[in-house]
Amino acid sequence: MTDDSADEPLTYEQARWANDDEVYEPLLSEKHTQRVDIDSSLPDELTRDSLELPDLSEPQLARHYTRLSEMNYGVESGPFPLGSCTMKYNPKFTEDVAAHPMASVHPDRSERSVQGILEVQYRLQEQLARIGGMDAVTLQPPAGAAGEFTGILLARAYHESNGDDRSEVVIPDSAHGTNFASAAMAGYDVVSLPSADDGRVDTDALAAALSQETAALMLTNPNTLGLFERDIVKIAEMVHDVGGLLYYDGANLNALLGRARPGDMGFDIMHYNVHKTFATPHGGGGPGAGPVGVTDELAFFLPDPHVRRSNGGYERYKPEHSIGKVHGYDGNWLVLLKTYAYIARLGDEGLADASAKAVLNANYLASRIDHEIPFGPFHHEFVASAGDQDAADVAKRMLDYGVHPPTTKWPDIVDEALMTEPTEIEGKRTLDQLAAAFNAVHGEDAATIERAPERTAARRIDQVSAARNPRLSWQALDDE
Amino acid sequence: MTANGTPYAPHTEAETAAMLSALGVEREEELFDIPEEIRFDGTFDITNREERTTRALVGRVLSENDELVEFLGRGHYDHYVPSMIDHLTDRSEFLTSYTQYQPEIAQGFLQALFEYQSMIVELTGLDVANCSMYDAATALGEAATLAIRSREADGARVLVPERLHEGRRRTLENYLIGHDVDIEAYPMDDGNVDVAELTDRVDESTLLVYAETPTVRGAIEEHLGSIGDLTGEHDALFVVGSDPLALALLEAPARLGADIVIGDAATLGLPAAYGMGTGLFACREAFLRQVPGRLVGASEDATDRRAYTLTLQTREQHIRRERATSNICTNQAWVALRTAMHIAWLGPSGLAELAEDCVVHARELADRLNEIRGLKAPVHDRHHFREFVAHTDQPAQAVASDLEASGYAVHVVGEHEIQLCVTETNADSIDGLVEAATEAAK
């Protein structure tokens, strides 16, 4: 292989292997692939002349993708304590459930012919509502951020129906970046709320930020530092007193299952990240699903369709003042089906225990690592500081210890933040090993850390040049 | 021996005790920093079950669905998904991984997404493809907000076909709710764009023109080149909706003036999945800094070997917050992996042949239905891809209900119009459908 080669050639490049008897190794520099002429029964002016794509046999492809998978780290590869992402083990059986032949039907089927799907949707709506302490739940949003957007559209519709034109959404500075983007997408100005010295909402700052312009406050609880907002009842009162709504970002719900419910804290709207809390696979960045729960006051505005019981069966209907649609159909159904199966497997007892073990694990791991942890007490995740070390470099070095590093440099109210969430799926022994990796890197010199990673298949990757000179496709590599 | 409610926590009783003891507490409850007044002491009323009984339960519920042969499409399609795709994409290193924020241990997924982007670039003819949106409807919404950012024009108009899938139209409306922009429908002419009418409506206030090929009625759009010229003259963006299989046969939209191509890429890679999809999004290089969603780029590692990484993340919400190009974070990466694998499995010849079959099957089915008394097909005198509209003398709803009673699902798209879609997955059932339709249409 030439020096600039990746470990695994592109499918495009491997096409060369099949075409040249003289060459066993891929000629990476030539980027050859298969081009076919298009012969169609359509008029020439409507069709393309040729199509150039990789052309490999199934065994070659199977090896290609197997090798690629071996160059990838998942929850089953090792510890994955990526803060705020809740990387839990995804039970295998839910994949079999989703592969049920009756799970995959066309979305335009008649109501009568998809009673099974409607029943699962209905039951999941009801169960999520009980878990969150909400009155009604829509399953349509296809991800957490889509849920946020939906939630803010619901707040907007609610205010508008009251003849109340509000312009601002208040968001703590430690919140997920998606909160800000979702509020802006729905047409709101964002008011950023500084955190208090204890890492929680500063109620004085909140009082100053709230006004008759406040459409909603978006909050996660516990927050991204893993801290429970103990003043939540007061916060809810303050928001409601100015006529605003309280929005719950469900990213951290894994810390609360069966212990506390957003609805009971005074939240009016919430989204659930089912790929976090309910262990559906993250799939390398998706698909997830982001169901949204609301109180009765807001249920009229939910997306269309919603599912309800009707004479002995289930039907789709359009809520009276529906905001319309946030997805072309009903969202990421197969993910929702896996969620339903996961919840059915665990039940009340299992869900509550998942939170208990997640909180136990986070506290235990935090107690074992040498770094300073500026805030507490925390629930399912904690933010340590790398101190004099660069948190991003620390993360690269942790790769050499065979573990996925924590989330780094965020939230920025902690210097060189290492946001760590072990989840309930790790046992004591793994947590001890994880702590040892943290502590080993903590004691290392700057030169070692800056050189890292050294034990991974790919060494440190130049992200600056990737952005400065974007090459985003095989075609764009042609000038190399 | 574990002692847990959740079967997925490995703690033994002894380990739990040791951990609690290390923390100086007796029970996990003491670790929860929740005020008494909002502690939850109720139940969810959900019984826990064994894995075996859970599977049986869900299987039993799903079996309440009727077994029908679906002749359904209208933007969402069922193509045969090769077995290899389930087996390889279910490898846990793919399925259970996260967004590739640590590229050194995510080279496999990054490369697969880079290959996906490359395939979309080839099929659309455009310069840049992202590595997925949620679905076609949200991708259309993102295209419109990109147009707003690029043109800095408030009070402008977005032109869409009068016949547009309802889910796409209504999702677009929500994406534009925060902007002072009107959505305006332009007329169609016999299943294609009415170019004369469209020409009258396009002016300097036009932010973008959206057209689809094939259209929601299954007709291949014959006027994309003219629309491209028109939008070019008025500096409006031209957004084309399509899918990767159709684009294997049809002229690359970029060559007809398209600035952005959106659509559903999961047409390949996923079964019908009750509407789950993957948003395809590609655009000209001029819009690179405005692209929504994630981009995978090629780079080098410290030993100068080629390596891949997420790039241009300064557009994204975790860095730019309310000034991000989009709020999309979790996307459909794993489905994009499946799409890329499906395209690679078919190869260029296989993909083009499958696309050609979509033209031929639709033509054959329309011809056969046209021979039936009470039916006329296709309604539009156009070339069709996968699907077409048929006129029914009887009320369409009655015809569709009769067909459903015989085991066949079709769309009702007008008082006297049904729509039928044929792919390799239902082509074997055409004889039965024709027989049932002969009875139903009388």
Side-chain angles (χ1 to χ4, degrees), chain A residues 48 69 130 285 348 457 462, chain B residues 44 46 91 123 273 299 305 331:
Chain A
R48 61 171 66 230
S69 74
R130 290 204 292 281
D348 278 86
D462 185 351
Chain B
F44 304 141
I46 307 169
R91 284 184 67 93
L123 288 162
S299 187
R305 286 183 308 170
N331 57 13

Side-chain angles (χ1 to χ4, degrees), chain A residues 3-5 7-13 36 40-41 43 46-48 52 54 58 64-66 68-69 71-73 75-76 82 85 90 93 96 102 104-106 108-110 112-114 116-117 130 142 145 149 156 173 180 182 185 228 230 255 259 261 281-287 304 316 323-325 327-329 332-333 344-348 353 357 361 379 396 424-427 457 459-463 466-467 471-475, chain B residues 4-6 8-11 19 28-29 32-33 38 40 43-49 51 54-55 58 61 65-67 70 73-74 76 84 88 91-100 102 104-109 111 114-115 117-119 122-123 134-135 165 170-171 174-175 177 247 249-251 271-276 297-302 304-306 308-309 311 321-322 327 330-334 341 345 348-349 356 383 404 411:
Chain A
D3 281 341
D4 68 340
S5 64
D7 281 13
E8 174 68 4
L10 296 169
T11 42
Y12 284 88
E13 295 159 341
V36 298
S40 164
S41 60
L46 292 179
T47 56
R48 61 171 66 230
E52 188 171 11
E58 180 168 317
H64 174 67
Y65 285 110
T66 299
L68 290 187
S69 74
M71 293 156 62
N72 219 64
Y73 190 98
V75 171
E76 289 170 34
L82 196 63
C85 300
N90 312 120
F93 84 96
D96 294 328
M102 280 299 184
S104 194
V105 303
H106 193 283
D108 287 350
R109 281 262 212 125
S110 71
R112 202 190 54 72
S113 72
V114 289
I117 285 178
R130 290 204 292 281
F149 180 52
R156 189 184 162 111
D173 55 7
F180 301 86
S182 300
M185 266 174 72
F228 195 84
R230 288 185 292 239
R259 294 295 184 306
R261 309 191 300 173
H282 288 58
D304 172 28
R316 306 177 177 116
I323 58 165
K325 294 187 71 69
H327 184 266
Y329 295 98
N332 281 334
W333 157 248
R345 170 86 173 93
L346 266 66
D348 278 86
D353 191 59
K357 293 297 185 292
N361 278 2
H379 277 101
K396 294 300 178 207
E424 67 271 21
I425 66 148
E426 307 299 352
R459 301 280 292 278
R460 184 153 335 182
I461 292 164
D462 185 351
Q463 290 175 288
R471 293 172 297 164
L472 307 174
S473 66
W474 170 74
Q475 293 84 342
Chain B
N4 305 300
T6 167
Y8 308 115
H11 309 62
M19 291 165 72
E28 287 109 326
E29 305 309 315
F32 285 85
D33 180 30
I38 50 169
F40 176 68
T43 67
F44 304 141
D45 201 19
I46 307 169
T47 313
N48 65 336
R49 293 174 179 81
E51 177 176 310
T54 308
R55 281 182 70 171
V58 184
V61 176
N65 290 346
D66 293 344
E67 276 192 57
E70 297 170 345
R74 299 193 88 241
H76 195 79
M84 191 198 84
L88 273 295
R91 284 184 67 93
S92 66
E93 302 90 335
F94 286 136
L95 185 65
T96 75
S97 64
Y98 195 65
T99 304
Q100 300 76 26
Q102 296 293 341
E104 291 83 2
I105 54 167
Q107 284 299 295
F109 220 120
Q111 180 170 331
F114 185 85
E115 292 178 0
Q117 291 175 180
S118 302
M119 291 168 179
E122 169 69 15
L123 288 162
Y134 307 128
D135 71 344
H165 185 271
R170 295 175 69 207
T171 301
N174 270 330
Y175 268 76
I177 207 162
L247 291 176
L249 193 60
L250 301 177
E251 180 62 282
Y274 198 59
M276 185 164 155
S299 187
E300 291 82 33
D301 76 356
D304 292 332
R305 286 183 308 170
R306 190 195 298 160
Y308 305 92
T309 179
T311 194
R321 310 218 290 194
E322 68 267 30
N327 74 335
T330 291
N331 57 13
Q332 304 285 110
W334 183 72
M341 206 180 279
W345 187 84
S349 313
E356 175 67 15
H383 303 285
E404 187 168 307
H411 301 277

Side-chain angles (χ1 to χ4, degrees), chain A residues 242-257:
Chain A
V242 299
L245 296 169
L246 195 56
Y247 180 93
Y248 183 84
D249 175 334
N252 296 344
L253 189 64
N254 199 45
L256 295 185
L257 294 170

Side-chain angles (χ1 to χ4, degrees), chain A residues 307-435:
Chain A
V307 179
R308 67 182 171 196
R309 291 194 95 122
S310 67
N311 318 320
Y314 300 88
E315 66 182 11
R316 306 177 177 116
Y317 77 105
K318 181 179 175 180
E320 199 177 342
H321 303 294
S322 174
I323 58 165
K325 294 187 71 69
V326 293
H327 184 266
Y329 295 98
D330 289 0
N332 281 334
W333 157 248
L334 294 181
V335 178
L336 296 163
L337 180 59
K338 293 177 198 180
T339 303
Y340 178 70
Y342 178 84
I343 292 173
R345 170 86 173 93
L346 266 66
D348 278 86
E349 191 191 339
L351 293 171
D353 191 59
S355 278
K357 293 297 185 292
V359 171
L360 174 65
N361 278 2
N363 281 280
Y364 179 76
L365 177 61
S367 77
R368 304 277 298 181
I369 72 170
D370 296 342
H371 297 75
E372 188 202 350
I373 299 171
F375 299 112
F378 38 79
H379 277 101
H380 64 309
E381 68 187 3
F382 60 87
V383 181
S385 172
D388 295 339
Q389 294 177 321
D390 181 289
D393 288 341
V394 166
K396 294 300 178 207
R397 182 59 178 156
M398 287 186 77
L399 299 177
D400 284 335
Y401 288 83
V403 301
H404 196 289
T407 299
T408 59
K409 301 209 173 198
W410 182 79
D412 51 18
I413 53 180
V414 173
D415 289 336
E416 303 300 336
L418 300 168
M419 182 198 267
T420 310
E421 180 183 10
T423 83
E424 67 271 21
I425 66 148
E426 307 299 352
K428 178 173 178 297
R429 193 181 162 77
T430 308
L431 294 172
D432 289 340
Q433 290 170 327
L434 200 47

Side-chain angles (χ1 to χ4, degrees), chain B residues 146-160:
Chain B
L146 183 154
I148 291 168
R149 288 192 300 277
S150 307
R151 296 280 310 278
E152 304 267 330
D154 260 13
R157 298 176 307 139
V158 167
L159 301 185
V160 300

